[in-house]
Amino acid sequence: RAKELGGNRYEVADPEADARAITRHGLTNRLPLALERGEFFIEYQPLIALEDGSIRGAEALVRWCHPVHGVLGPDRFIPLAESTGQIVPLGRWVLQAAARQARSWQSPDGGCAPHVNVNLSPMQLHHPDLVAEVARALDESGLPPASLCLEVTESALIGADEDALKPLRRIADLGVEIALDDFGTGYSNLSSLRWLPVSVLKLDRAFTRGLRHSPPDPVDSKIVEGIVSLAHGLGLTVTVEGVETRAQAEQLRALGCDTGQGWYYGRPGPPEALHKLAMADA
Ligand code: C2E
Ligand code: MG
Ligand code: MG
Ligand code: MG
């Protein structure tokens, strides 16, 4: 088709790809303004103790309410924010807002203290101000460090040397929990668990998929069982993602997983929804 247009032609190899590129470009350009205008918001998804079904806390998941494109999920804009560095101010905002939110869920004496989990991008992890920003978010919100868990992905840590891990160690020293997110999706190096400053392993959905039905997939069961025993042996707790059915929840509990997250327990939603769940639970 481009040929017909003759000499002064503009080649469009794939109009759809082109449209996507334009949107991407527009989204990227708008990120700073969007943060200024308060277009981002956070949904919270419950984290459930598998043993007794009680609420342990929630994961903070950011969304963008774009004036033209509507609500966008993080997969649409986090990679863009990561590529421009805009993830640093955006991530700081998520951390501060989630810490304040979690503090408001806690009773004044901190008696009932749900956790809040916040995702960190690789670029935030390597930013020199990270430790100070975490300390500041705790300080300003009054959230106890033990009520905050930072989720970092395996791929962000693979190949990290001792220097690169120092900030994480200092954050762990503050009493903040560190979780290894999406565990098992990268090139898992099980021996790295020996020296990474993590206390929680978040098993990716890929592992729990085979446990959705009764009877569960025997190979997936064995794999989960093995990972759980390894994690527990190293003093880590195990959270499982993508719990969608009751059968799965029961399997995962029987296999020794500690905490579950997924549609079976609750989809990500506004903070009020989580508050109600927690109150009903107490
Ligand atoms: P993640 O940290 O692995 O978060 C879990 C994702 O799984 C969420 O997708 C959640 O909505 C989805 N999910 C939860 N339960 C189920 C289930 O039962 N079945 C299925 N099929 N999916 C389930 P979401 O909200 O689209 O977030 C995608 C990713 O974006 C997150 O993956 C996280 O890596 C990233 N992300 C979200 N918020 C932030 C943030 O504030 N900062 C950074 N750096 N990344 C974020
Ligand atoms: Mg996460
Ligand atoms: Mg995850
Ligand atoms: Mg995941």
Side-chain angles (χ1 to χ4, degrees):
R1 171 137 150 70
K3 267 199 186 109
E4 292 164 22
L5 298 173
N8 205 3
R9 67 188 191 232
Y10 179 63
E11 288 204 41
V12 179
D14 178 353
E16 265 178 40
D18 217 45
R20 274 198 304 274
I22 291 167
T23 314
R24 212 161 40 234
H25 183 70
L27 292 180
T28 307
N29 284 342
R30 196 181 164 87
L31 281 167
L33 183 68
L35 190 58
E36 223 172 89
R37 296 213 174 150
E39 290 174 5
F40 294 101
F41 65 100
I42 303 175
E43 288 193 318
Y44 294 87
Q45 185 176 32
L47 295 159
I48 304 293
L50 291 174
E51 196 186 10
D52 59 4
S54 64
I55 297 193
R56 279 282 160 81
E59 179 172 7
L61 296 160
V62 69
R63 279 89 178 84
W64 181 359
C65 185
H66 190 283
V68 177
H69 301 294
V71 174
L72 303 175
D75 292 335
R76 289 285 301 280
F77 61 86
I78 292 286
L80 306 179
E82 175 83 8
S83 72
T84 61
Q86 189 65 25
I87 189 67
V88 172
L90 175 59
R92 186 188 304 132
W93 176 79
V94 172
L95 178 64
Q96 290 170 347
R100 274 197 303 271
Q101 185 60 62
R103 182 67 189 98
S104 81
W105 286 328
Q106 303 190 340
S107 57
D109 60 358
C112 136
H115 261 248
V116 72
N117 286 29
V118 174
N119 293 283
L120 284 190
S121 281
M123 185 178 276
Q124 289 174 273
L125 214 54
H126 298 113
H127 195 275
D129 295 340
L130 179 69
V131 183
E133 276 174 13
V134 172
R136 194 156 69 98
L138 291 170
D139 207 47
E140 285 178 357
S141 63
L143 187 72
S147 300
L148 178 66
C149 176
L150 297 178
E151 301 193 358
V152 296
T153 58
E154 222 184 339
S155 52
L157 294 182
I158 293 294
D161 59 11
E162 203 36 54
D163 269 355
L165 291 175
K166 262 187 199 148
L168 267 194
R169 280 193 208 293
R170 287 177 53 204
I171 290 168
D173 288 342
L174 294 175
V176 172
E177 267 194 336
I178 312 284
L180 199 54
D181 202 357
D182 298 335
F183 183 79
T185 51
Y187 292 95
S188 314
N189 178 358
L190 293 174
S191 68
S192 68
L193 291 176
R194 290 173 56 145
W195 48 270
L196 288 176
V198 299
S199 53
V200 180
L201 211 62
K202 283 193 87 171
L203 256 192
D204 193 73
R205 233 185 11 252
F207 288 106
T208 53
R209 216 167 273 151
L211 308 176
R212 224 162 10 197
H213 309 288
S214 215
D217 181 280
V219 176
D220 282 333
S221 298
K222 275 289 164 212
I223 292 175
V224 171
E225 195 176 19
I227 294 174
V228 169
S229 112
L230 174 84
H232 284 172
L234 294 170
L236 309 178
T237 61
V238 178
T239 298
V240 283
E241 299 183 330
V243 183
E244 294 180 351
T245 67
R246 188 198 175 108
Q248 224 174 355
E250 278 166 7
Q251 267 306 309
L252 290 163
R253 187 175 53 79
L255 292 172
C257 298
D258 304 291
T259 311
Q261 174 180 3
W263 297 342
Y264 174 66
Y265 297 112
R267 302 224 175 200
E272 302 78 47
L274 197 96
H275 188 71
K276 278 198 201 113
L277 262 178
M279 296 315 272
D281 197 50

